[in-house]
Amino acid sequence: MNAYIQMFFSSWMFMSVFALATMGIVLIFKTSGTTNFAQGSIAALGAYFAATFVTKGWNLWLSLGVSVVVAFAVGVLVDVGLFRRGRSVNVIGKQIITMGIVMILFGVVPMAFGALPMDIPPFAKGNFEFGQFVIPKHYAICALITAGVLAAIFLALRFTKWGLGVRATASNEKVAQMLGVNTKMITAVSWALAAGLGTLAAVMYGSSTVLNPAYMTGVQVNAFLACILGGFATFYGPIAGALLLPVLRNYIAYNTSAWADVIIYTLILLVILFKPNGLFGKKIVKKV
Amino acid sequence: MSVLLKKFKMQPGQSPAPAPKKATPIGKFFRHPYSHFMIFGVLLVLVQVLAMTGVLSAALARSVGVSLIYSIASLGFCLLLGYSGLASLGTAGFMGLGGYMFAYLLAHTPLPFFICVAVSVAALILIGALVGFISLRIEGIYLAIVTLGLSEILVSFFKAFDSFTGGASGVNLKAKDLVFMFGAFELSREVSFFIITAALVGLMIVTANLINSPTGRAMLAMKNSTSAAQAMGISKVKIRLLAFVLATCYAGIAGILYAVYIRSMNPSVWSLSLSLNILAAIILGGARSIWGTLVGAFLVFGINTMFLQDIAFFRDNPNFIMIFIGILIILIVMLYPGGLAQLAKTAWHKIKAWIRKKLAAAKDKKAGAGEGGAE
């Protein structure tokens, strides 16, 4: 039993990373109507900025802040430069555009930051220990930041004018526009937020791996799966999925290490088969 | 297309077609609907022959061969996305499954080459039918992500199942296993290239036949409106299953050919980015065109190793190739949603109309001059 509780604590970093990445994907899915395959590579770009600042001797928190701001700018640039112009492009076309962005970033990042591997230090070294449980300080700080950021976003979605605008755009972009919602602004802010959240996640994850342009792809795939596990219909569903995945994975890996991924993906697939709209999904009424 | 041509032939103001000459065997061949594919196949064989004689570099032939393998997978995906409107991100996983299964059978059983291929393809038909059943319940972007999940399952499976796939380090086929026709031929790189060419041309013909058949039309109807197509009496189950079975078979055949041609596979080859690249190839070339798909596959998988590396600028800055292809993809999607095939078709019709006009003008002039001479 204790082992399982310990494993829950050990999942905190991946829970944070997945939750933040998932939030970014959901925001863009809701406002731009596409699954953003560039989420991971934009996040990696942000992490490269952070790593560069850190190697220059900046404080980690300052680097994180500046790189998130840079990511905001990149997100807005992508939206204004590509997606605002490509409104007439169909859903699959939009996905391909995000893939084009992935390719461009895979080329740009090694050119801009050099091909040498870079790394990011953890937020804090050492462990919190209480009783027989150990939580790395980095994990605890990740969880705190994630909880704070996600709480702020959910409150903003629920109570601010921007949140209302996002929900209106998500439910029907054209009607929202007709009723005076500045959908362009809403979409741009969503892209900026998604890029910022991705960067935050990438910096958290960066301390336990070596940066390369594709290092967030695995996180991104898991975030997609979390999205369909929870269902795209709500904002909280995918987050719940993202929090569930790493814990479940650790529990399964504890029993059968090599087959954990196969089992967990199969489980997700089975859930989706029986509940096609996800665990928290709503039935979508189709019109002919 | 043939309807269009007939229309052109019946255009007013044009002299009636001259009495049909007795069809020579060559004329007959060119009028045959498969002739394009045959000529393409002959050209590909020529590429390999020229490479063997040393006129073309072996590296070029190799990158053509690799592009052809991906073209086969793209062709299957073209049936799925372009004709049936089903988005899937599992192509890479299916390719990998085909390749591994074939490699395992070839190395660990005494079965001959073709039986190994047949067994692998049969397994892929089952997988395809399974995905087809899934697609009955899940649609659109969800289907894309579910197939992505399925592909991830397959890749994790490849990594975990050591005895079948060699785990993370992959599997290498040995030359002694790669024999063909009961050991009569060794499957050298050159022979493999010919097999790839034969497979591609064969599958192109199958695809061309399918999309012009009632089934192909039914697929298209199902893509445009599932409900309307069902109301017309088209079976959703049949079409979806068929589309996925075909697409996974094509992908599996591509995987088998990859195993034969490259001879080594590891799980990282069959990643999400391969599926995405195949998707990009389709969209670039035009999702509803056989030739467009081929051009797209060559652009995405071949242009880099075939041409760009010969240009000094790109050779010194390999990252620019990625950026270049990325920008190309975005531009084509935003400006020409029908892909290069549509662009080419529009341009071709314009050129043809222009030539026709010129010819008609010249003929009128000639006719006028002839009449003048008779007087």
Side-chain angles (χ1 to χ4, degrees):
Chain A
M1 190 60 215
N2 283 341
Y4 283 93
I5 296 171
Q6 175 60 47
M7 270 186 276
F8 170 69
F9 292 132
S10 315
S11 317
W12 278 13
M13 187 190 75
F14 272 110
M15 283 162 82
S16 316
V17 171
F18 286 1
L20 290 173
T22 307
M23 192 70 211
I25 286 170
V26 178
L27 270 175
I28 290 178
F29 182 81
K30 289 279 195 185
T31 52
S32 290
T34 180
T35 42
N36 180 17
F37 290 114
Q39 174 76 12
S41 30
I42 293 177
L45 177 72
Y48 265 95
F49 271 107
T52 314
F53 295 142
V54 169
T55 17
K56 272 190 183 151
W58 292 21
N59 180 321
L60 177 60
W61 296 102
L62 181 65
S63 321
L64 176 62
V66 175
S67 60
V68 167
V69 172
V70 172
F72 278 163
V74 173
V76 173
L77 200 70
V78 169
D79 180 51
V80 174
L82 295 174
F83 279 82
R84 196 171 286 181
R85 282 159 214 277
R87 292 211 163 218
S88 56
V89 177
N90 64 14
V91 180
I92 293 168
K94 280 181 182 167
Q95 288 183 327
I96 310 280
I97 292 180
T98 63
M99 279 178 47
I101 301 170
V102 173
M103 286 192 154
I104 293 175
L105 286 179
F106 277 9
V108 166
V109 167
M111 264 163 55
F113 297 96
L116 289 176
M118 294 174 114
D119 46 16
I120 299 177
F123 291 134
K125 290 192 173 73
N127 298 320
F128 289 120
E129 288 179 33
F130 49 96
Q132 35 185 318
F133 303 120
V134 180
I135 307 175
K137 282 184 183 166
H138 176 67
Y139 288 17
I141 296 174
C142 287
L144 267 180
I145 296 175
T146 307
V149 169
L150 289 183
I153 289 178
F154 274 109
L155 286 177
L157 280 173
R158 185 78 188 82
F159 293 112
T160 63
K161 205 176 163 191
W162 170 78
L164 191 63
V166 169
R167 284 183 285 144
T169 312
S171 103
N172 190 332
E173 188 175 345
K174 279 205 179 105
V175 175
Q177 209 168 12
M178 276 198 286
L179 294 176
V181 177
N182 188 350
T183 51
K184 283 183 182 170
M185 192 63 182
I186 298 283
T187 319
V189 171
S190 301
W191 273 89
L193 262 182
L197 290 171
T199 300
L200 195 55
V203 169
M204 286 176 182
Y205 182 40
S207 66
S208 56
T209 177
V210 178
L211 301 199
N212 68 61
Y215 87 105
M216 287 295 282
T217 310
V219 173
Q220 182 185 321
V221 169
N222 277 297
F224 281 143
L225 293 174
C227 284
I228 54 164
L229 182 64
F232 268 120
T234 59
F235 280 97
Y236 59 82
I239 303 296
L243 294 178
L244 195 64
L245 274 189
V247 184
L248 211 59
R249 195 190 175 287
N250 271 355
Y251 287 173
I252 297 171
Y254 180 65
N255 295 313
T256 61
S257 59
W259 292 90
D261 281 330
V262 177
I263 294 173
I264 195 153
Y265 292 141
T266 314
L267 274 180
I268 294 175
L269 207 67
L270 286 177
V271 171
I272 302 301
L273 268 182
F274 289 104
K275 287 185 77 72
N277 296 312
L279 288 175
F280 303 94
K282 295 168 192 157
K283 180 107 180 92
I284 302 157
V285 181
K286 216 165 69 176
K287 286 178 197 155
V288 179
Chain B
M1 193 65 199
S2 61
V3 177
L4 251 178
L5 282 178
K6 262 181 208 156
K7 257 189 202 160
F8 270 118
K9 274 183 190 154
M10 301 304 279
Q11 252 179 5
Q14 214 191 332
S15 53
K21 282 182 224 159
K22 204 175 172 208
T24 55
I26 297 174
K28 232 182 195 169
F29 173 74
F30 275 102
R31 236 174 293 153
H32 196 271
Y34 301 157
S35 60
H36 315 75
F37 305 132
M38 298 288 182
I39 293 168
F40 181 63
V42 170
L43 284 179
L44 287 177
V45 169
L46 213 62
V47 166
Q48 181 61 47
V49 170
L50 284 180
M52 277 152 86
T53 52
V55 179
L56 294 172
S57 72
L60 180 83
R62 188 186 152 91
S63 57
V64 171
V66 173
S67 308
L68 293 180
I69 292 172
Y70 289 123
S71 300
I72 292 177
S74 307
L75 213 55
F77 192 49
C78 163
L79 277 176
L80 197 61
L81 181 70
Y83 286 90
S84 315
L86 298 165
S88 155
L89 289 175
T91 324
F94 302 140
M95 272 183 82
L97 188 65
Y100 279 125
M101 193 170 289
F102 169 76
Y104 183 83
L105 287 175
L106 204 62
H108 292 88
T109 58
L111 297 175
F113 181 85
F114 278 113
I115 305 290
C116 294
V117 172
V119 172
S120 318
V121 170
L124 282 156
I125 288 176
L126 284 180
I127 297 270
L130 177 78
V131 188
F133 273 116
I134 294 176
S135 79
L136 292 175
R137 279 183 71 77
I138 298 162
E139 288 178 330
I141 279 185
Y142 281 77
L143 183 61
I145 301 178
V146 168
T147 48
L148 165 65
L150 200 65
S151 185
E152 287 297 308
I153 294 178
L154 287 174
V155 172
S156 329
F157 175 79
F158 300 153
K159 278 181 192 157
F161 201 170
D162 275 343
S163 55
F164 176 54
T165 63
S169 53
V171 59
N172 286 302
L173 280 173
K174 290 175 201 76
K176 74 170 172 54
D177 292 325
L178 283 169
V179 288
F180 189 44
M181 297 272 183
F182 305 103
F185 292 100
E186 193 202 331
L187 279 175
S188 63
R189 188 142 273 160
E190 289 76 25
V191 176
S192 316
F193 189 97
F194 296 139
I195 293 179
I196 293 170
T197 306
L200 177 65
V201 172
L203 287 175
M204 280 167 93
I205 291 173
V206 169
T207 315
N209 267 334
L210 182 81
I211 59 188
N212 289 319
S213 72
T215 316
R217 305 277 190 241
M219 281 177 167
L220 212 52
M222 192 62 89
K223 177 194 178 187
N224 290 332
S225 169
T226 313
S227 316
Q230 276 180 300
M232 300 278 288
I234 299 168
S235 158
K236 182 177 165 186
V237 181
K238 183 187 145 196
I239 295 297
R240 291 250 163 118
L241 285 189
L242 185 69
F244 267 106
V245 164
L246 282 173
T248 39
C249 273
Y250 280 45
I253 292 172
I256 293 170
L257 292 173
Y258 186 96
V260 172
Y261 197 60
I262 308 288
R263 294 188 178 184
S264 80
M265 296 177 286
N266 65 63
S268 64
V269 176
W270 318 113
S271 63
L272 170 63
S273 64
L274 177 58
S275 300
L276 290 179
N277 278 335
I278 289 174
L279 183 64
I282 306 280
I283 299 294
L284 270 183
R288 269 169 48 197
S289 157
I290 293 177
W291 291 109
T293 302
L294 267 138
V295 171
F298 270 83
L299 272 180
V300 173
F301 296 105
I303 191 173
N304 178 1
T305 41
M306 267 186 254
F307 302 109
L308 293 184
Q309 284 193 345
D310 295 335
I311 302 168
F313 173 75
F314 283 115
R315 194 169 48 233
D316 299 338
N317 305 292
N319 291 316
F320 272 115
I321 297 172
M322 288 285 260
I323 300 176
F324 174 74
I325 297 178
I327 292 175
L328 195 68
I329 287 175
I330 293 178
L331 283 181
I332 288 181
V333 170
M334 289 182 70
L335 302 178
Y336 295 98
L340 291 173
Q342 194 197 14
L343 184 66
K345 209 178 248 175
T346 324
W348 172 238
H349 280 312
K350 271 189 184 153
I351 293 171
K352 215 151 76 173
W354 184 78
I355 292 176
R356 244 168 237 289
K357 220 167 89 185
K358 286 281 159 190
L359 278 182
K363 215 171 228 174
D364 281 352
K365 213 170 166 187
K366 207 173 163 191
E371 277 162 23
E375 272 172 23

